[in-house]
Amino acid sequence: MEKPQHSDADSDQEKSDFDEVIGTHKSWLKSVLGLGALEAKLWVTSSAQLLALMCGVIFLLLTTWLLIIASSAAIAWSYGFSLVGILLTATLVTFLSSIVLLYLVKQTLKSMDFTRTFDAIIPTEDE
């Protein structure tokens, strides 16, 4: 029995079909990557805008806190409290506030435990 001979036309047709499949996949991958790049660009822009807005909120909250302390100090001074006592009280209130915020930061960091994620990705030898 003779083996059927592939003609050059069949081989060119297969090569053409293969090139077409590769071209289709390349164009699909390019559109998917383009969409991903567009989404990433929108995400980065939105994140920058959110960061700027949060900085504004933090600035306003800090200003409000200082004005509350200044208003309390002015009211206390109008009632005859000593200026040194008012300043020491304001300093103590600010210091205690920073301790409370530091405690909240530590609690937040403690709750950000990534060991479950690491264990899921890279199991320990015990498992």
Side-chain angles (χ1 to χ4, degrees), residues 15-17 38 42 71 107 109:
K15 188 175 183 182
S16 168
D17 290 344
L38 182 62
L42 289 172
S71 299
Q107 290 298 96
L109 287 175

Side-chain angles (χ1 to χ4, degrees), residues 99-118:
I99 288 176
V100 169
L101 288 176
L102 184 61
Y103 173 76
L104 291 174
V105 166
K106 285 184 179 182
Q107 290 298 96
T108 303
L109 287 175
K110 196 182 292 184
S111 70
M112 292 174 62
D113 186 15
F114 295 110
T115 56
R116 290 184 299 267
T117 306
F118 287 137

Side-chain angles (χ1 to χ4, degrees), residues 7-19:
S7 67
D8 288 339
D10 289 342
S11 139
D12 287 344
Q13 179 64 32
E14 287 176 7
K15 188 175 183 182
S16 168
D17 290 344
F18 187 68
D19 287 342

Side-chain angles (χ1 to χ4, degrees), residues 75-82 86:
I75 291 170
W77 189 52
S78 71
Y79 280 108
F81 287 94
S82 72
I86 293 171

